[in-house]
């Protein structure tokens, strides 16, 4: 195992903020890229003001929501509306391989930092815009958040109990999964292409377009004239398939039966082996037709079981099953996450030792690593100005006094 | 910027062998969209995913059509030794191998990542597996639903008085796919600079646990365990509201603070909802009132009086026109007709066994290259070992390890 990082030598001017953008640049930073996050002292990343905070006390350097998305990065503060601040941003970009932003369309252009300007400075720049609706089209100026993108993108409306209002995933899913990671994929592919051809790239990731790919099969069905409805925990292939009540307060076990063997194993584990031989339940189709009735029967058996014991019993017999884990179980008890050292504790200068999500994959030869906790606001302004941009300390101090850098 | 499917993409010259099941299938689709040559290996008769419901009238699975678009299909009988030799040869011509089973099943197929990369030092083996290649649960059987449970996302979704709820579709395939493709490309950059492959060990449980918003940090920093709370945060002005043909999602407040509140009041009064003027009262600026059940209910009564007379699309356009964050709770039918997606020419019509299906375009657009689905899913055995006997390329020469 060597300690080299595949993205070492790649520098990113990171203008992204809030949810989706910072999770795009994080995997780059964790695998060696020098990601320089650009904020201003007056317009900080709004997620710095979002809970949870260390000990519940708000502050720009106390948010765990912010910290978790910004490991391994540097932070600088520039007043982009000031002529000198703007010039510094362009000087920085000239030394970068990648520029990323998720502002509303036209913002980077108004700041004089749009693709056309930047590509004159760095023709081989990889420049990513991440607007909500796209840089063109009748809805280009619409605004929204993770939840409204999930609603407009279709996943929210499809996720729910058929007899109730849709409920979605309970999270701002597009901000955590499809949008940032599709963005990271695009940037990495463009870096690979640049290495071969010398050409840069202008990438436009419309968050709506990215999010609708999460329900791709439903869109194909719609285009063939077939409707897709909310189905709670039903599955089009497996039955029984659901989340069943277990012993204790709000304890549940997810169980999925795909094959006849799994059905036999489930029935015998739950103490109803005679059910397994019932002819109308012997086929997947029969079990699907009887699924509501089976759900009632299974619930009446599982409610006496400890969820984790049940999951262990079923999986040992080949039936996919898992207790429904909450954050306490995930952080403090799950033997698998513990064995894989999933959660990372990093010592943050203000927040102290705090929990960060681990990287969900390991590269055997060039593993990434959370190389440092989230940066304090403006922690690296001086280093970047002096060491990277070659500014002399007197100029820095003067710009600092004027509030151009912070 | 008109690019065509025949243009080379950013992953031109990369060959990927795809042995995944449903759990890993989106990974190869992403790589194919970017121009990689992705070869789906299937047993005689095809992978079972081809016939997973729901199906086209001709009996092809929509989810298979979506995840396999642009790939080629090679039939190989795993019990036939000459096929095994062919597959081994194919691996020697490829840059990447994708699998999505746990370690015991991989061993049984002679596909243990460590062995594969020993035999092929210039190969990146992207191993997507339910729990990763190590640890006490590594060989536990799993499915989309059970992995959402094991990774913690299931517990955050649903109404508190009902069972936790699955996100629609096979979201673990999306969650695993986007992380796996990211990791695969990082490993590809390393391969192309050093000539050395490696194993990417992705745990789907961990990828799901990476999607919990701030739940881990809430526990760590504030000692709070988040639970499912239905459709979203309980705050006046924010959430689902009924309209003439479904629901809209309105964000009229965040974190206990009103958002575009004046605009909302004006919007409603302009429509003749006189009671909207009561939203001007000071209490609507206060966090405790905004987060009270009374506050939410009072707002809902006033807003829905107007909303139920309008369609999702009308509310979307008129609200957004006033700078208010409102969005339709779109159905798939709404999306294929969405004015924005249609104006941007997002959908691509692709022939799937004689049926024209509208595929969503790629999640991203490149100004200088074609990215996106290049063709429909392959017919069984669309390519053969003989056709694939030469390495992918041009543009990439493997450096010996």
């Amino acid at each position: 195992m060597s300690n080299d990082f595949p993205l070492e030598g790649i520098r990113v001017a990171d203008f992204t903020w809030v949810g989706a953008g910072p999770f795009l640049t994080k995997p780059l930073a964790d695998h060696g890229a020098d990601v320089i996050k650009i904020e201003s002292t007056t317009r900080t990343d709004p997620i710095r003001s979002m809970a949870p905070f260390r000990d519940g006390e708000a502050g720009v350097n106390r948010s765990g929501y912010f910290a978790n998305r910004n490991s391994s990065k540097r932070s600088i503060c520039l007043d982009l509306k000031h002529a000198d601040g703007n010039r510094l941003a362009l000087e920085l970009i000239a030394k970068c391989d990648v520029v990323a932003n998720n502002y509303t369309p036209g913002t980077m252009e108004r700041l004089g930092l749009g693709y056309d300007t930047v590509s004159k400075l760095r023709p081989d720049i990889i420049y990513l815009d991440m607007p909500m609706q796209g840089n063109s089209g009748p809805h280009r100026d619409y605004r929204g958040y993770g939840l409204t993108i999930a609603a407009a993108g279709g996943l929210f409306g499809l996720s729910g109990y058929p007899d109730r209002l849709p409920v979605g995933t309970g999270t701002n899913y597009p901000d955590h999964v499809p949008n940032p990671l599709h963005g990271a994929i695009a940037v990495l592919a463009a870096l690979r292409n640049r290495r071969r051809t010398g050409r840069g790239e202008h990438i436009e990731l419309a968050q709506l377009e990215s999010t609708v790919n999460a329900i791709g099969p439903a869109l194909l069905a719609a285009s063939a004239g077939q409707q897709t409805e909310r189905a709670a925990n039903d599955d089009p292939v497996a039955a029984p398939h659901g989340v069943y009540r277990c012993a204790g307060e709000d304890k549940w076990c997810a169980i999925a039966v795909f094959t006849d063997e799994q059905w036999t194993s489930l029935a015998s584990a739950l103490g109803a082996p005679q059910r397994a031989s019932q002819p109308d339940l012997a086929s997947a189709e029969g079990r699907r037709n009887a699924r509501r009735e089976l759900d009632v029967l299974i619930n009446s058996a599982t409610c006496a079981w400890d969820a984790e014991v049940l999951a262990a019993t079923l999986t040992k017999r080949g039936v996919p099953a898992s207790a429904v884990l909450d954050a306490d179980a995930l952080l403090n008890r799950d033997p698998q996450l513990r064995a894989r050292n999933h959660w990372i504790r990093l010592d943050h200068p203000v927040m102290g030792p705090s929990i960060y999500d681990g990287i969900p994959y390991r590269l055997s030869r060039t593993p990434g690593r959370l190389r440092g906790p989230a940066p304090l606001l403006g922690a690296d302004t001086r280093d970047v100005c002096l060491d990277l941009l070659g500014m002399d300390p007197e100029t820095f101090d003067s710009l600092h006094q004027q509030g151009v850098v912070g | 910027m008109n690019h065509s499917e025949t243009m080379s993409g950013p992953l031109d010259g990369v060959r990927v062998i795809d042995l995944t099941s449903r759990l890993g299938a989106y990974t190869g689709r992403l790589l194919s969209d970017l121009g990689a040559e992705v070869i789906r290996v299937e047993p005689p008769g095809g992978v079972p995913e081809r016939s997973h419901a729901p199906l086209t009238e001709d009996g092809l699975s929509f989810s298979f059509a979506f995840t396999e678009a642009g790939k080629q299909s090679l039939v190989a009988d795993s019990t036939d030794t000459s096929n095994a030799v062919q597959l081994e040869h194919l691996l020697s011509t490829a840059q990447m191998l994708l699998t999505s089973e746990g370690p015991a099943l991989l061993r049984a197929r002679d596909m243990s990542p460590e062995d594969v990369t020993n035999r092929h030092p210039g190969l990146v083996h992207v191993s997507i597996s339910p729990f990763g290649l190590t640890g006490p649960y590594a060989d536990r059987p799993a499915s989309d639903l059970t992995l959402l449970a094991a990774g913690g996302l299931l517990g955050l979704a649903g109404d508190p008085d009902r069972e936790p709820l699955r996100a629609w579709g096979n979201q673990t395939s999306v969650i695993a796919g986007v992380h796996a493709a990211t990791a695969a490309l990082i490993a590809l950059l390393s391969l192309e600079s050093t000539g050395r492959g490696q194993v990417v060990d992705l745990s789907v449980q961990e990828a799901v646990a990476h999607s919990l918003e701030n739940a881990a940090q809430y526990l760590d920093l504030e000692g709070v365990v988040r639970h499912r709370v239905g459709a979203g945060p309980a705050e006046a002005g924010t959430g689902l509201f009924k309209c003439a043909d479904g629901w809209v999602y309105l964000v009229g407040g965040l974190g206990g603070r009103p958002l575009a509140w004046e605009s909302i009041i004006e919007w409603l009064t302009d429509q003749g909802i006189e009671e909207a003027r009561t939203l001007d009262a000071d209490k609507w600026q206060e966090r405790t009132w905004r987060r009270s059940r009374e506050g939410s209910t009072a707002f809902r009564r006033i807003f829905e009086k107007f909303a139920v007379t309008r369609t999702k699309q009308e509310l979307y356009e008129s609200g957004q026109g006033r700078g208010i964050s409102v969005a339709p709770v779109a159905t798939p039918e709404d999306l294929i007709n969405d004015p924005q997606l249609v104006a941007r020419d997002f959908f691509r019509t692709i022939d799937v066994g004689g049926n024209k299906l509208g595929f969503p375009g790629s999640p991203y657009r490149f100004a200088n290259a074609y990215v996106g689905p290049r063709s429909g899913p392959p017919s069984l055995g669309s390519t053969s070992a003989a056709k694939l006997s030469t390495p992918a390329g041009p543009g990439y020469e493997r450096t010996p390890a």
Side-chain angles (χ1 to χ4, degrees), chain A residues 16-362:
Chain A
T16 69
W17 65 357
V18 204
F23 249 178
L24 182 172
T25 50
K26 175 181 153 66
L28 308 179
D30 291 340
H31 290 84
D34 179 14
V35 175
I36 301 173
K37 186 173 171 64
I38 297 137
E39 299 173 79
S40 88
T41 49
T42 50
R43 251 190 125 196
T44 57
D45 186 339
I47 206 174
R48 286 186 181 273
S49 313
M50 292 185 197
F53 302 106
R54 166 57 75 195
D55 304 325
E57 187 189 315
V60 291
N61 292 316
R62 302 183 69 84
S63 163
Y65 206 160
F66 173 85
N68 187 48
R69 308 175 102 77
N70 289 287
S71 62
S72 311
K73 300 180 190 175
R74 301 207 273 175
S75 162
I76 68 170
C77 288
L78 295 179
D79 179 353
L80 296 174
K81 291 184 176 149
H82 189 285
D84 287 329
N86 197 265
R87 180 179 48 78
L88 289 171
L90 286 169
E91 282 180 27
L92 172 60
I93 288 170
K95 292 182 184 294
C96 285
D97 304 279
V98 177
V99 174
N101 81 89
N102 60 337
Y103 294 136
T104 49
T107 305
M108 288 294 271
E109 287 73 14
R110 278 195 296 282
L111 290 167
L113 303 172
Y115 175 74
D116 291 342
T117 310
V118 164
S119 61
K120 286 193 188 86
L121 217 59
R122 273 296 299 256
D124 65 347
I125 198 81
I126 290 161
Y127 190 105
L128 176 118
D129 286 319
M130 204 172 173
M132 188 174 91
Q133 299 268 353
N135 285 334
S136 64
H139 299 171
R140 73 189 281 269
D141 296 321
Y142 283 15
R143 56 189 69 201
Y145 302 88
L147 280 174
T148 50
I149 297 170
L155 180 63
F156 189 98
L158 286 176
S159 304
Y161 315 95
D163 57 329
R164 289 196 180 176
L165 306 186
V167 296
T169 62
T171 63
N172 292 286
Y173 185 81
D175 281 353
H176 311 312
V177 180
N179 298 341
L181 292 154
H182 281 144
I185 292 162
V187 166
L188 288 161
L191 279 168
R192 188 269 174 175
N193 196 40
R194 187 183 75 167
R195 198 185 267 180
R196 293 164 61 238
T197 63
R199 285 203 310 269
E201 191 57 80
H202 186 190
I203 301 162
E204 181 200 14
L205 183 147
Q207 298 196 39
L208 178 66
E209 294 177 351
S210 162
T211 298
V212 301
N213 271 279
I215 60 155
L219 295 174
L220 294 187
S223 84
Q226 291 188 29
Q227 278 200 347
T228 306
E229 308 282 358
R230 292 192 298 286
N233 292 320
D234 277 353
D235 186 85
V237 179
H241 186 273
V243 182
Y244 300 97
R245 192 179 285 282
C246 293
E249 172 86 19
D250 202 32
K251 300 291 181 197
W252 304 85
C253 186
I255 301 172
V257 170
F258 287 84
T259 66
D260 297 344
E261 295 74 31
Q262 290 168 355
W263 165 240
T264 311
S265 301
L266 174 68
S268 85
L270 293 182
Q274 73 284 6
R275 291 275 171 195
S277 49
Q278 216 171 298
D280 57 326
L281 300 177
S283 72
E285 201 194 340
R287 292 189 294 272
R288 266 189 67 73
N289 291 337
R291 65 189 187 278
R292 288 290 86 86
E293 181 199 336
L294 287 176
D295 284 348
V296 173
L297 282 170
I298 294 170
N299 266 316
S300 69
T302 56
C303 66
W305 285 77
D306 172 88
E308 295 189 17
V309 173
L310 177 59
T313 305
L314 293 177
T315 51
K316 196 177 239 175
R317 293 167 177 245
V319 182
S322 171
V324 175
L325 303 186
D326 63 15
D328 180 38
L330 292 165
L331 259 66
N332 300 323
R333 291 198 304 278
D334 185 68
Q336 179 66 14
L337 293 175
R338 182 168 296 174
R340 291 185 50 94
N341 299 312
H342 175 71
W343 303 104
I344 308 292
R345 192 175 287 277
L346 296 176
D347 195 4
H348 181 278
V350 170
M351 300 169 72
S354 329
I355 291 289
Y356 288 68
D357 299 357
I359 304 169
Y361 44 83
R362 314 273 183 297

Side-chain angles (χ1 to χ4, degrees), chain A residues 53 133 136 139 143 161 164 172-173 182 192 195 201 209 226 233 336 340 342 355 364-365, chain B residues 55 131 134 137 161 163 166 171 189-190 196 198-199 206 213 220 222 316 340 365 368:
Chain A
F53 302 106
Q133 299 268 353
S136 64
H139 299 171
R143 56 189 69 201
Y161 315 95
R164 289 196 180 176
N172 292 286
Y173 185 81
H182 281 144
R192 188 269 174 175
R195 198 185 267 180
E201 191 57 80
E209 294 177 351
Q226 291 188 29
N233 292 320
Q336 179 66 14
R340 291 185 50 94
H342 175 71
I355 291 289
S364 59
R365 193 169 51 73
Chain B
L55 307 171
F131 295 96
T134 58
Y137 294 176
D161 64 332
E163 69 278 16
R166 181 191 194 184
Q171 290 305 314
L189 288 171
S190 174
R196 296 170 66 196
Q198 57 183 318
V199 177
E206 290 182 60
E213 202 158 82
D220 177 47
E222 301 198 9
Y316 189 28
Q340 173 73 0
R365 299 167 188 239
N368 302 319

Side-chain angles (χ1 to χ4, degrees), chain A residues 315 320-322 334 336-337 340 342 360-361, chain B residues 20-24 99-106 126-152 172-173 175-176 200-209:
Chain A
T315 51
S322 171
D334 185 68
Q336 179 66 14
L337 293 175
R340 291 185 50 94
H342 175 71
Y361 44 83
Chain B
T20 63
S21 61
R22 182 157 71 168
L23 187 57
T99 59
S100 60
E101 291 164 310
L105 290 171
L106 288 174
V126 180
S127 164
I128 300 151
S129 61
F131 295 96
L133 293 169
T134 58
Y137 294 176
D139 291 312
R140 273 195 173 188
S143 74
D144 178 71
L145 183 73
T146 69
L147 288 169
L148 291 174
T172 52
S173 171
I175 297 169
V200 173
D201 171 13
L202 180 136
S203 153
V204 179
Q205 180 195 26
E206 290 182 60
V208 173

